[in-house]
Amino acid sequence: MQQEGTHGGADLDPSTRLAFERTRVSYERTMLSWVRTATSLITFGFSIYKFFQMEGPQGGRPNRLIGPREFALMLVSIGLISLVLATLEHRQNIRALGAQFAGKRRSLAVLVAALISILGLLALVAMIFRQ
């Protein structure tokens, strides 16, 4: 017989345990969507940077508020910032869920986000220090 009022993962009734799993998996899917969006922003920004770097400067610098290099830097920066904010929100949601129901699991989505963040930072540093 299960005890009521306890929050251990082993003594939850099956429907509560499944609801907990659905919620946790939903948080993981949301995090992976943010990873996908941030990866797209970072790679698109870096691609724009490399394209205009290969294109080469043509004459003088035209009167532009934002050139291709600055636009590419902004895209990569927005991708990194969105990834960091999404990771913080994900961790907060998982902690709140874990406070209600015992269950500490490692998130592979956070690991993937960390790896993409490292690659994004490397791209940003390369873009800043390479003219």
Side-chain angles (χ1 to χ4, degrees):
M1 182 178 232
Q2 297 176 3
Q3 296 178 344
E4 295 200 25
T6 60
H7 298 296
D11 43 355
L12 291 175
D13 65 273
S15 82
T16 304
R17 190 171 58 245
L18 287 174
F20 168 76
E21 271 306 305
R22 279 192 302 271
T23 304
R24 190 187 65 76
V25 171
S26 175
Y27 286 144
E28 293 289 314
R29 277 193 309 266
T30 302
M31 181 63 195
L32 287 172
S33 294
W34 276 108
V35 168
R36 185 174 53 245
T37 301
T39 303
S40 297
L41 285 167
I42 291 167
T43 55
F44 187 59
F46 193 73
S47 298
I48 288 173
Y49 172 77
K50 291 306 277 183
F51 175 77
F52 283 101
Q53 186 183 40
M54 285 189 287
E55 181 86 6
Q58 298 171 351
R61 189 176 170 125
N63 290 337
R64 290 188 206 146
L65 181 61
I66 297 176
R69 182 175 185 271
E70 292 81 13
F71 182 70
L73 284 169
M74 282 192 302
L75 282 177
V76 172
S77 298
I78 290 170
L80 284 171
I81 290 168
S82 68
L83 193 55
V84 167
L85 292 176
T87 302
L88 292 174
E89 181 182 21
H90 175 76
R91 289 179 56 112
Q92 179 182 1
N93 289 337
I94 293 297
R95 281 188 183 141
L97 195 60
Q100 288 181 332
F101 305 102
K104 301 285 184 189
R105 290 194 179 171
R106 294 283 179 206
S107 172
L108 291 177
V110 172
L111 177 64
V112 171
L115 293 173
I116 297 297
S117 294
I118 291 169
L119 289 174
L121 282 173
L122 290 173
L124 191 64
V125 167
M127 291 167 62
I128 290 172
F129 292 113
R130 293 187 91 180
Q131 296 285 341

